[in-house]
Amino acid sequence: MTYFRPTSLEDALAALAEPLPSPRRVLCGGTDAYADPGARPPASGWIDISRLDALHGIAPRDGELRIGAATSWDAIEHCALLPASLREAAHQVGSRQIRVAGSLGGNLCHAAPAADGVPPLLTLDACVELTSLRGVRRLRLDEFLLGRRRTALAADELLTAILLPAAATTGRTAFLKCANRDGTALAVVSAAVRLRWSGRGVVAQAAVAVGAASEVPVRLRALEEGLEGARPESLSSLIRESRLPELAPIDDVRGSASLRRHLARVAVERACARCLQEAIDGAPA
Ligand SMILES: Cc1cc2nc3c(=O)[nH]c(=O)nc-3n(C[C@H](O)[C@H](O)[C@H](O)COP(=O)(O)OP(=O)(O)OC[C@H]3O[C@@H](n4cnc5c(N)ncnc54)[C@H](O)[C@@H]3O)c2cc1C
């Protein structure tokens, strides 16, 4: 096994592009990679990107919010520039130690069905920036996540940033995680919503995503269409009656498929209720 910690993005990309006899593994916080025996082939060459300045920080740029891929959950939780849903998700990832070490980019590249970062980012129309010596490309997050533990990342590419279009960060947002216990626990189901209200007091735009109830977290487009134009008092019944056709929950140790389908409705309803209450209270978005 070899271990390399580059000090520049160029060095990291060059190392990734080198033809090596053994498999290469990118390492950031290591909270998924070290915990996963499948991710630790014995003869692998580790490339630790956690100290690359170019992959850290959150800043507006060219009409977008740019989040460096190695930015920690702790930094995300405490960044007032970011929408509430993403900060709430960050607050609920693991323990404080995990939030200090673990990165948003690692969460997306690991592509677990219960990844807490994904539902809020889907409702914010996030894109990912992928960089290699061949150049930079950009994908929508739903194009990047191909399935459980599968992404569109090529072997010589790094995820360098997550990009949030300014227009998609307007409105009220909320994230809700249903887990089997308080503290460090993966989601049985999670939900993120973003609601924008019209001057007439109806929903002008709804974005809803659910995690841990399909191979990758998904937007609930059918429900979103149903919510648009709805009055606040009818949101709950619309959610409860929705079939949620995009979900494909499974039975596993954390919960049954039917529990997950039920919890998805509960989580979406409560997240919408939180957005509504904050709008009524006039809390800052
Ligand atoms: C005790 C514990 C509790 C946890 N709780 C939660 C939780 O509540 N919610 C949750 O969502 N997750 C949880 N996790 C999972 C994990 O902490 C997160 O997914 C974290 O965000 C992973 O980030 P990382 O920087 O540690 O990734 P790493 O472990 O370093 O990497 C993960 C994967 O992504 C690849 N990778 C990382 N960064 C890049 C990049 N920039 N470009 C290309 N490839 C990259 C690596 O090669 C690896 O395959 C938990 C983990 C542990 C151990």
Side-chain angles (χ1 to χ4, degrees), residues 81-237:
L81 289 173
L82 292 173
S85 56
L86 188 57
R87 285 184 281 128
E88 286 163 8
H91 175 68
Q92 295 186 49
V93 170
S95 60
R96 175 140 167 77
Q97 290 90 334
I98 296 291
R99 294 196 292 276
V100 168
S103 64
L104 181 59
N107 193 244
L108 303 187
C109 291
H110 189 65
D116 284 332
V118 179
L121 290 176
L122 287 175
T123 64
L124 298 167
D125 295 337
C127 289
V128 292
E129 179 190 87
L130 307 177
T131 307
S132 69
L133 288 185
R134 295 174 287 120
V136 179
R137 63 185 180 125
R138 184 186 168 116
L139 294 179
R140 289 197 323 264
L141 181 57
D142 62 348
E143 296 170 328
F144 176 71
L145 297 168
L146 300 180
R148 184 182 174 277
R149 309 286 302 276
R150 285 191 301 120
T151 70
L153 194 73
D156 63 342
E157 280 180 323
L158 278 180
L159 169 60
T160 39
I162 296 94
L163 309 160
L164 307 182
T169 57
T170 57
R172 301 271 166 188
T173 68
F175 171 80
L176 214 127
K177 177 169 170 174
C178 306
N180 285 327
R181 58 176 191 275
D182 288 342
T184 303
L186 289 180
V188 179
V189 158
S190 61
V193 302
R194 180 167 65 88
L195 294 182
R196 220 165 40 74
W197 307 94
S198 78
R200 294 180 296 118
V202 300
V203 175
Q205 192 190 6
V208 182
V210 163
S214 44
E215 265 204 74
V216 288
V218 284
R219 285 275 291 264
L220 304 185
R221 301 280 181 186
L223 175 61
E224 289 175 4
E225 273 178 35
L227 294 179
E228 282 169 13
R231 304 202 65 79
E233 57 275 18
S234 55
L235 295 187
S236 287
S237 57

Side-chain angles (χ1 to χ4, degrees), residues 13-24 156:
L13 297 176
L16 272 176
E18 267 173 31
L20 279 184
S22 56
R24 277 175 308 249
D156 63 342

Side-chain angles (χ1 to χ4, degrees), residues 40-56:
R40 283 190 265 123
S44 56
W46 292 92
I47 302 174
D48 180 347
I49 59 165
S50 62
R51 306 279 175 91
L52 294 180
D53 289 344
L55 302 193
H56 284 273

